Amino acid sequence: MFTLAQARHLVATLRPRVDELIRLRADLAELRADLAASGVSVRGGRAEVKGLEARLHAVLEELNGHDIQVKGIAPVLLDFPGERDGRPVLWCWLEGDTDVRWYHRAECGFAGRRPV
């Protein structure tokens, strides 16, 4: 369980890993598109695809190791189990947010997001 302050601190601390995830995601998408279209890419070939996939999975495992729920990678969506007013919630951070500014009840999902 995370307090809002803990979730915010962890987002700030893990920001370099999240930025790496975003870069890896973009590199992998571009490489796959090039290979599918023409069979060649300035980014490499199948070996580079496998390397990028392995690094992306390593970053995801690192995030999961902090008990963060990674709900998506395009865009990156992270949930932090917590409590608000005695009720279980998920503190929610979406790629592009500068801070954890949303929460939702677990059973409501992303559609139930509310400002903190």
Side-chain angles (χ1 to χ4, degrees), residues 5 9 17 26 43 55 86 97 103-104 108:
H9 176 74
R17 295 288 74 75
R43 296 201 172 276
R55 185 63 195 136
D97 289 349
Y103 74 97
H104 58 84
C108 296

Side-chain angles (χ1 to χ4, degrees), residues 23 50 74 87:
R23 183 187 53 77
K50 292 299 180 192
R87 173 175 240 153

Side-chain angles (χ1 to χ4, degrees), residues 3 5 7 19 21 24 29-30 33 38 41 44-45 52 54 58 65 70 73 81 85 93-94 100 103 109 112 114-115:
T3 65
D19 290 344
L21 178 63
L24 290 165
E30 186 177 314
S38 64
S41 174
L52 287 169
V70 180
I73 64 167
D85 300 327
W93 181 86
L94 179 64
V100 177
Y103 74 97
R114 296 181 180 278

Side-chain angles (χ1 to χ4, degrees), residues 4 82-89 91 103 115-116:
L4 177 57
E83 187 176 283
R84 180 181 170 105
D85 300 327
R87 173 175 240 153
V89 298
W91 306 111
Y103 74 97
V116 171

Side-chain angles (χ1 to χ4, degrees), residues 68-111:
I68 298 169
Q69 297 176 14
V70 180
K71 298 289 180 85
I73 64 167
V76 178
L77 177 60
L78 306 176
D79 280 345
F80 303 80
E83 187 176 283
R84 180 181 170 105
D85 300 327
R87 173 175 240 153
V89 298
L90 296 170
W91 306 111
C92 187
W93 181 86
L94 179 64
E95 181 179 330
D97 289 349
T98 57
D99 197 359
V100 177
R101 296 183 181 191
W102 300 89
Y103 74 97
H104 58 84
R105 293 180 10 203
E107 68 273 16
C108 296
F110 188 84

